[in-house]
Amino acid sequence: MTINESFFDQVVRTRFAPSPTGMMHIGNLRTALYEYLIAKSAGGKFILRIEDTDRGRLVEGAVDVIYRTLRTAGLTHDEGPDIGGPSGPYVQSQRMSLYLPYAQQLVREGHAYYCFCSKERLESLRSDSDASDVIGYDRKCRTLSDKTVSENLHAGVPFVIRQKMPLSGFTVFEDRVFGKITVPNKELEDQVLIKADGFPTYNFANIVDDHLMGITHVVRGSEYLSSTPKYNLLYEAFGWDIPCYVHLPLIQGRNPDGTVGKLSKRHGATGFDDLIAEGYLPEAIINYIALLGWCPKDDTRELFTLNELIDTFSIDGISKSPATFDYDKLEWFNAEYIRKMSDEDFIVHAKPYFEELQDIGPESYPLMIEMLKPRITKFGQIPEKLSYVNDLPDYDPELFDHKKSKSSAESAKTVLDHSVPILQNLSQWTAEAILTALTDLAEGLDVKKSAVMWPVRIAVTGMPVTPGGAVEALLLLGRDRSLYRITKSLQRLNS
Ligand code: GLU
């Protein structure tokens, strides 16, 4: 079967066709992203179609999760259930009247047949499937006479419609990522097209819908590669153009022992919402996910906005080797995006945490942004980084011992003792004034500057590591709170 090239001269149309069965996984999101990029990089259309024919697996609210995720990720669809479009409806359960006539056409033309086998029979077939060399269903009803079929239909015997696979020869197709795929037809099961409940299977509905919606590029996970020959036989039976196939590589997760396996919950959050709740930014997630299976040609860049991805993306850059989802790498992207953020945007994310800090007002926001922007990889780290603001922890006085800074518990006593009146009498509580005062103190005591900065910072924060040094901590806490803490710490050292 040759692909009609003029078909692809048409505007590129891709579709994201999720089944509303739960949350939006990294894998689904990557599929949506690549579909979006393939369409947009060619000036084409990105369509959203909800595949809800598997009624048993539907999860309430899952469609809203899909809308919300696409919106947050910036993957705006051009046609879909919520906005309509020329090839709607875009929800399969609303297209029900459409599928059966197509299946009946296949029956009439000898490409499909009615099957009346009972559930019990099919189950027993499944249990002794080893005994037969036919894959799956044993094709019992494939040879029923027309007379038996029409009698059964008239008598209302429940039925399914199955695809009639060729019994010999090969089906060959070309995947843009995986290359040429050849499958012996005898390995293809006579799959169900219309189920006993009258609903089409995914396998049938996706063909009919992709055709009717003018989808030019079918982009999906590589788990569908093995079914694709069956789809091609359907396209062929109908005489429809075969779309361009782009199957995407598996996404793996790294196990604690360093080995890799199919990405799952045990590797950490795998849903978009969960990652957002953990403090990852949508832009960072999208940027990282874009690189899970694709890399730009002759380009070593890693940071891409969605628009830059549209400009750079090409199917040729998709790899067929599995990609490994690496949380550390995602965190690196997140940190990069936080650093690039404007202060205004930073405040939007940080404000809920800032507001939890006692006696710290918006006048301190610029200082905290300066302290935190280069140092956090997720916004959720703010409470921990600034935990000293609300409470001076019950710290170990050994924290005053710091060789590199030439500080010890003994030297700290002297430094803190002298620092109290100096800080008390500062005419202004500014970074400059504090820095000058503490530098002068070091000179006066004839010690290294760090021998002053270290104990002062420990005294007011009680933490070995803080974002920013002594000056920032003093400035943020304010004069009264700082002096109170230094005095407290001195008492502690002396007792
Ligand atoms: N409804 C299918 C899924 O969610 C779509 C697969 C496809 O894109 O064809 O896996």
Side-chain angles (χ1 to χ4, degrees), residues 22 52 76 79 118 184 189 218 223 238 245 253 258 266 273 279 293 301 308 313 339-340 343 353 430 439 454 457 476:
D52 58 348
T76 314
E79 298 171 26
S118 65
E189 181 182 2
V218 168
E223 65 273 22
F238 282 120
Y245 289 112
R266 80 201 142 99
D273 280 347
R301 256 185 313 168
E308 287 165 347
F313 198 84
R339 301 208 207 320
K340 284 201 305 181
D343 288 356
Y353 303 111
T430 60
T439 313
W454 182 271
R457 190 179 60 83
L476 183 61

Side-chain angles (χ1 to χ4, degrees), residues 99-108 112 161 193-194 204 238:
Y99 306 108
L100 185 60
Y102 278 110
Q104 286 165 333
Q105 177 189 336
L106 291 178
V107 173
R108 279 196 308 277
I161 296 182
L193 304 178
I194 301 287
F204 189 52
F238 282 120

Side-chain angles (χ1 to χ4, degrees), residues 150-220:
S150 72
E151 276 169 10
N152 280 349
L153 290 177
H154 273 110
V157 181
F159 67 87
V160 301
I161 296 182
R162 288 183 184 272
Q163 188 178 352
K164 196 186 268 184
M165 297 299 174
L167 301 177
S168 60
F170 295 88
T171 297
V172 182
F173 73 97
E174 190 71 28
D175 182 80
R176 281 293 300 273
V177 176
F178 287 81
K180 187 171 166 177
I181 311 261
T182 306
V183 190
N185 289 331
K186 66 172 195 295
E187 284 180 10
L188 304 176
E189 181 182 2
D190 281 1
Q191 65 174 350
V192 174
L193 304 178
I194 301 287
K195 295 180 276 189
D197 62 5
F199 275 78
T201 55
Y202 158 76
N203 291 324
F204 189 52
N206 93 91
I207 298 301
V208 174
D209 288 343
D210 283 346
H211 170 71
L212 295 178
M213 293 181 180
I215 301 304
T216 58
H217 293 63
V218 168
V219 184
R220 60 183 161 218

Side-chain angles (χ1 to χ4, degrees), residues 46-351:
F46 172 58
I47 291 133
L48 174 64
R49 179 173 80 221
I50 301 295
E51 302 206 322
D52 58 348
T53 60
D54 196 347
R55 308 304 287 173
R57 289 176 61 223
L58 298 189
V59 170
E60 185 146 340
V63 177
D64 293 328
V65 174
I66 294 166
Y67 288 139
R68 193 179 61 231
T69 305
L70 292 180
R71 203 179 324 116
T72 312
L75 309 181
T76 314
H77 49 284
D78 300 296
E79 298 171 26
D82 50 343
I83 49 174
S87 47
Y90 294 89
V91 179
Q92 284 183 329
S93 59
Q94 293 166 16
R95 301 167 65 81
M96 284 301 292
S97 58
L98 218 126
Y99 306 108
L100 185 60
Y102 278 110
Q104 286 165 333
Q105 177 189 336
L106 291 178
V107 173
R108 279 196 308 277
E109 294 171 358
H111 300 292
Y113 59 93
Y114 289 97
C115 169
F116 302 97
C117 288
S118 65
K119 235 195 188 145
E120 293 70 33
R121 171 159 203 279
L122 295 175
E123 260 154 33
S124 76
L125 267 185
R126 215 165 292 143
S127 55
D128 42 68
S129 60
D130 292 348
S132 147
D133 49 350
V134 179
I135 309 260
Y137 177 59
D138 67 355
R139 302 186 167 129
K140 176 169 184 270
C141 292
R142 189 164 157 140
T143 48
L144 290 181
S145 67
D146 289 351
K147 186 165 165 275
T148 314
V149 170
S150 72
E151 276 169 10
N152 280 349
L153 290 177
H154 273 110
V157 181
F159 67 87
V160 301
I161 296 182
R162 288 183 184 272
Q163 188 178 352
K164 196 186 268 184
M165 297 299 174
L167 301 177
S168 60
F170 295 88
T171 297
V172 182
F173 73 97
E174 190 71 28
D175 182 80
R176 281 293 300 273
V177 176
F178 287 81
K180 187 171 166 177
I181 311 261
T182 306
V183 190
N185 289 331
K186 66 172 195 295
E187 284 180 10
L188 304 176
E189 181 182 2
D190 281 1
Q191 65 174 350
V192 174
L193 304 178
I194 301 287
K195 295 180 276 189
D197 62 5
F199 275 78
T201 55
Y202 158 76
N203 291 324
F204 189 52
N206 93 91
I207 298 301
V208 174
D209 288 343
D210 283 346
H211 170 71
L212 295 178
M213 293 181 180
I215 301 304
T216 58
H217 293 63
V218 168
V219 184
R220 60 183 161 218
S222 54
E223 65 273 22
Y224 287 97
L225 259 182
S226 61
S227 306
T228 303
K230 304 180 198 171
Y231 305 150
N232 281 359
L233 289 165
L234 288 170
Y235 282 109
E236 237 172 276
F238 282 120
W240 292 341
D241 288 320
I242 293 181
C244 174
Y245 289 112
V246 183
H247 284 93
L248 307 180
L250 195 73
I251 301 181
Q252 302 182 319
R254 199 178 305 281
N255 301 320
D257 65 1
T259 58
V260 286
K262 193 170 165 24
L263 184 65
S264 70
K265 206 70 198 151
R266 80 201 142 99
H267 298 113
T270 53
F272 182 74
D273 280 347
D274 295 341
L275 291 173
I276 296 285
E278 281 187 13
Y280 294 104
L281 300 165
E283 304 87 321
I285 300 175
I286 284 293
N287 189 156
Y288 177 54
I289 282 181
L291 298 168
L292 278 181
W294 168 81
C295 74
K297 292 250 180 263
D298 313 316
D299 196 336
T300 51
R301 256 185 313 168
E302 287 194 289
L303 295 173
F304 291 94
T305 62
L306 192 55
N307 281 331
E308 287 165 347
L309 284 171
I310 293 174
D311 291 341
T312 323
F313 198 84
S314 90
I315 296 174
D316 300 335
I318 302 176
S319 153
K320 61 180 168 189
S321 349
T324 304
F325 189 88
D326 180 344
Y327 290 90
D328 294 340
K329 190 74 198 196
L330 174 62
E331 197 140 339
W332 178 85
F333 275 97
N334 213 51
E336 290 295 315
Y337 276 82
I338 289 176
R339 301 208 207 320
K340 284 201 305 181
M341 225 176 219
S342 70
D343 288 356
E344 291 70 38
D345 287 343
F346 190 95
I347 290 174
V348 171
H349 290 273
K351 206 168 171 200

